[in-house]
Amino acid sequence: EAGVTQFPSHSVIEKGQTVTLRCDPISGHDNLYWYRRVMGKEIKFLLHFVKESKQDESGMPNNRFLAERTGGTYSTLKVQPAELEDSGVYFCASSPLMASYYEQYFGPGTRLTVT
Amino acid sequence: KNEVEQSPQNLTAQEGEFITINCSYSVGISALHWLQQHPGGGIVSLFMLSSGKKKHGRLIATINIQEKHSSLHITASHPRDSAVYICAAPGETSGSRLTFGEGTQLTVNP
């Protein structure tokens, strides 16, 4: 069974540009989470989808970030326009809807560098 | 006070040494993730545990539910074990977000 995949693995963009990150969860996983780690800080929660619905988006830093999960399969996270402080590693994780409460399976992450 | 605290923040060891990284948490029900972040940024899930002990190769994770404390041990450490090790605690309900510790930077010298 394929794990959680993320694309691209690394993106370097200039301040003001737009970047879209993609996460493909494990097939059949209805829960999908986005997290990020910015330099020197702990990993922080961004948002949680259940199928195509946003269950919790309280961690989204501002309205330059837009997450979607059309059809309840893969998810995209768009940053527009990107700022220097958005640099970091963006992770997604997924779990089945009726998973044990602590189960989450992580993707390898996308390293975003904004110059 | 962070809800998930790790110690030490930095750890340098010589190849072959036994390594212990500790994690204490005050959030959620008793369960924990241990993750490994490589220098390139990629993350690997090492363990998800809610009781007792789990072992995978040279890695051992233990959890004490009453004390809300977990440890990650690495036996016969090797330079390739050099990475950031992160613990994360889930919330109290199914599907809850994880709360992460700040990570422990481990460097194993040959």
Side-chain angles (χ1 to χ4, degrees):
Chain A
E1 179 183 296
V4 178
T5 57
Q6 293 188 243
F7 182 83
S9 58
H10 190 187
S11 179
V12 181
I13 61 171
E14 292 183 354
K15 177 181 170 180
Q17 289 186 322
T18 297
V19 63
T20 300
L21 314 180
R22 173 170 169 146
C23 169
D24 285 76
I26 293 172
S27 179
H29 282 195
D30 289 326
N31 286 311
L32 188 149
Y33 310 82
W34 282 99
Y35 300 93
R36 75 171 179 177
R37 184 171 197 179
V38 297
M39 184 69 72
K41 303 237 175 127
E42 68 270 26
I43 299 173
K44 290 279 180 102
F45 168 82
L46 295 178
L47 88 159
H48 171 206
F49 283 100
V50 177
K51 298 184 181 179
E52 66 274 10
S53 299
K54 292 175 185 173
Q55 181 78 8
D56 180 356
E57 54 183 328
S58 61
M60 295 288 264
N62 52 60
N63 60 10
R64 294 185 294 103
F65 288 75
L66 175 64
E68 294 181 322
R69 193 182 182 195
T70 307
T73 55
Y74 70 90
S75 174
T76 57
L77 180 65
K78 181 191 288 189
V79 185
Q80 179 182 31
E83 298 289 343
L84 298 178
E85 65 264 24
D86 301 331
S87 295
V89 185
Y90 290 75
F91 302 101
C92 77
S94 72
S95 68
L97 194 59
M98 299 307 293
S100 164
Y101 66 92
Y102 61 90
E103 272 186 65
Q104 291 189 24
Y105 299 87
F106 280 82
T110 293
R111 177 179 286 278
L112 174 64
T113 303
V114 183
T115 62
Chain B
K1 181 173 164 58
N2 293 335
E3 293 174 309
V4 179
E5 290 199 332
Q6 287 185 237
S7 63
Q9 286 188 310
N10 292 282
L11 181 57
T12 300
Q14 289 300 122
E15 183 173 356
E17 286 185 5
F18 181 83
I19 305 289
T20 296
I21 299 170
N22 295 300
C23 180
S24 296
Y25 55 97
S26 58
V27 292
I29 306 175
S30 292
L32 211 77
H33 287 250
W34 280 103
L35 307 165
Q36 180 192 55
Q37 185 176 20
H38 294 288
I43 204 163
V44 173
S45 180
L46 299 175
F47 297 102
M48 289 186 278
L49 70 165
S50 61
S51 65
K53 178 166 102 172
K54 286 192 176 181
K55 184 174 189 293
H56 184 239
R58 294 180 295 105
L59 301 178
I60 303 166
T62 63
I63 190 167
N64 184 317
I65 295 169
Q66 286 74 31
E67 294 184 6
K68 290 200 168 183
H69 179 270
S70 177
S71 294
L72 176 69
H73 305 287
I74 305 175
T75 62
S77 60
H78 190 276
R80 63 174 174 266
D81 297 327
S82 298
V84 177
Y85 292 83
I86 302 166
C87 64
E92 296 184 6
T93 57
S94 180
S96 299
R97 65 171 76 176
L98 295 176
T99 302
F100 295 80
E102 293 187 357
T104 295
Q105 174 68 61
L106 171 65
T107 303
V108 181
N109 294 317

